[in-house]
Amino acid sequence: EKAVTATDLENTARLDYDNNVVVDKEEDKAKVRTYEANLKKLDSGLFNSGVVKNSLQGAKFVVAKATGTESSSITKYLKVSEGKYVWVEDKAQATEFETNENGMINVKGLNNGHYFFVETKAPEGYNMNTNPYSHFEINNANVKDATQIEVSNDRRTDMPITGTEATVLVLAGLAGLTVITVVVKRRRDEKEEA
């Protein structure tokens, strides 16, 4: 969360070894740069049309490291342990990141390479994606144009229509009734004139 991204950080490695005569000490320094990726979780819009999309809270994802753009190239999963990143082979050991009230997940401290956000749980009332893998690549990105992935879910069909969708249905119904009333009135007026 507090990781500094797109900035050169000095990484020092020190090796002490004893060859039964003299203790040798070697130190090596290198510049390391990490980056961040953002995921925005949205619904599929009004009546799953892609229009008027809303942010979704409560979706869960794991981050996977890969060697390429296909999900079959996933090699490891990110586990956050005591504030440190550890890459594990078992997806069940990976840390699940949950979308906040704005539908966002932010992961900092990633190196250049191929990654996937893998959806593990859809928000309540929504279906899991048929393809839960969202590929992204970090290639010397900077913070201003941090990688952002948008992922959407369809509302479950067994859920009641609420909010914007209900408003649209009511307005469409009222507009339909208005049109019918105008047409009937015109026909009645035309008959009276004839």
Side-chain angles (χ1 to χ4, degrees), residues 105-120:
I105 292 175
N106 175 265
V107 180
K108 293 182 178 180
L110 300 174
N111 294 322
N112 284 321
H114 292 276
Y115 297 91
F116 285 86
F117 280 114
V118 183
E119 187 171 10
T120 57

Side-chain angles (χ1 to χ4, degrees), residues 33-37 62-71 73-78 85 87 107-118 133-140 147 149:
R33 188 176 281 215
T34 63
Y35 305 96
E36 65 184 293
V62 296
V63 176
K65 186 183 259 191
T67 57
T69 60
E70 300 295 323
S71 61
S73 70
I74 290 175
T75 58
K76 296 186 180 188
Y77 298 90
L78 179 61
Y85 286 5
W87 292 98
V107 180
K108 293 182 178 180
L110 300 174
N111 294 322
N112 284 321
H114 292 276
Y115 297 91
F116 285 86
F117 280 114
V118 183
Y133 299 95
S134 298
H135 172 264
F136 63 96
E137 181 178 7
I138 296 178
N139 187 5
N140 295 325
T147 302
I149 308 298

Side-chain angles (χ1 to χ4, degrees), residues 36-154:
E36 65 184 293
N38 298 296
L39 177 132
K40 180 143 181 97
K41 186 65 167 175
L42 303 165
D43 66 11
S44 294
L46 194 61
F47 303 109
N48 294 333
S49 67
V51 178
V52 189
K53 293 182 177 184
N54 294 305
S55 300
L56 294 177
Q57 182 176 5
K60 293 187 178 181
F61 290 82
V62 296
V63 176
K65 186 183 259 191
T67 57
T69 60
E70 300 295 323
S71 61
S72 60
S73 70
I74 290 175
T75 58
K76 296 186 180 188
Y77 298 90
L78 179 61
K79 177 180 180 179
V80 180
S81 178
E82 297 178 15
K84 296 181 183 176
Y85 286 5
V86 178
W87 292 98
V88 296
E89 293 181 10
D90 184 4
K91 181 178 166 185
Q93 294 178 354
T95 299
E96 282 187 311
F97 295 89
E98 186 170 345
T99 56
N100 63 20
E101 65 278 356
N102 298 317
M104 295 295 296
I105 292 175
N106 175 265
V107 180
K108 293 182 178 180
L110 300 174
N111 294 322
N112 284 321
H114 292 276
Y115 297 91
F116 285 86
F117 280 114
V118 183
E119 187 171 10
T120 57
K121 181 180 178 281
E124 189 163 332
Y126 290 84
N127 294 317
M128 280 283 292
N129 286 327
T130 54
N131 179 6
Y133 299 95
S134 298
H135 172 264
F136 63 96
E137 181 178 7
I138 296 178
N139 187 5
N140 295 325
N142 63 44
V143 176
K144 291 180 183 170
D145 57 309
T147 302
Q148 179 159 316
I149 308 298
E150 283 192 2
V151 179
S152 60
N153 284 92
D154 292 338

Side-chain angles (χ1 to χ4, degrees), residues 7-27:
T7 302
D8 286 334
L9 303 172
E10 192 167 283
N11 190 9
T12 303
R14 183 175 168 167
L15 181 62
D16 294 345
Y17 52 94
D18 182 349
N19 62 6
N20 293 327
V21 179
V22 174
V23 174
D24 291 326
K25 297 179 183 179
E26 291 184 21
E27 191 170 275

